[in-house]
Amino acid sequence: CDWSSDVCSSDLKSVKVKFTENGIYVDVFVKINQSASVSDMAFKIQENIKHNVEAMTEYKLSKINVRVTDVIFDEEPSTQNQQ
């Protein structure tokens, strides 16, 4: 994960964009770290996508859905080597 330590997605289909007569809809599929606030991260992702797309293009986004596909739990430290 290059841009956030709380969000990670390695799937190639992690973003879907749909162009309709009513606007542009974006679905983002993410894996999130257990320590992250889902609502805060979802809001940050939505704002980041909206800002970047609208700043770089003439498009206005109608809806951005952030879908959490998995929660990543930190691994516990191994106690096998501590004797």
Side-chain angles (χ1 to χ4, degrees):
C1 306
D2 296 334
W3 56 278
S4 173
S5 61
D6 292 329
V7 177
C8 178
S9 182
S10 60
D11 300 333
L12 295 175
K13 298 178 183 177
S14 57
V15 177
K16 292 182 181 179
V17 180
K18 184 175 183 180
F19 293 84
T20 70
E21 291 179 5
N22 298 325
I24 300 171
Y25 296 86
V26 178
D27 286 312
V28 182
F29 301 87
V30 297
K31 297 176 185 178
I32 192 164
N33 190 291
Q34 71 179 20
S35 63
S37 166
V38 174
S39 59
D40 289 345
M41 289 307 301
F43 181 76
K44 289 176 186 176
I45 291 167
Q46 288 172 326
E47 289 295 307
N48 193 346
I49 291 170
K50 179 177 174 58
H51 171 76
N52 286 312
V53 169
E54 292 180 357
M56 291 186 248
T57 70
E58 60 200 41
Y59 298 118
K60 300 291 180 199
L61 301 178
S62 298
K63 192 169 191 178
I64 303 167
N65 296 311
V66 177
R67 303 183 188 276
V68 177
T69 60
D70 199 3
V71 176
I72 300 169
F73 294 93
D74 295 329
E75 293 183 25
E76 294 184 24
S78 176
T79 57
Q80 294 178 353
N81 295 335
Q82 299 174 355
Q83 292 181 350

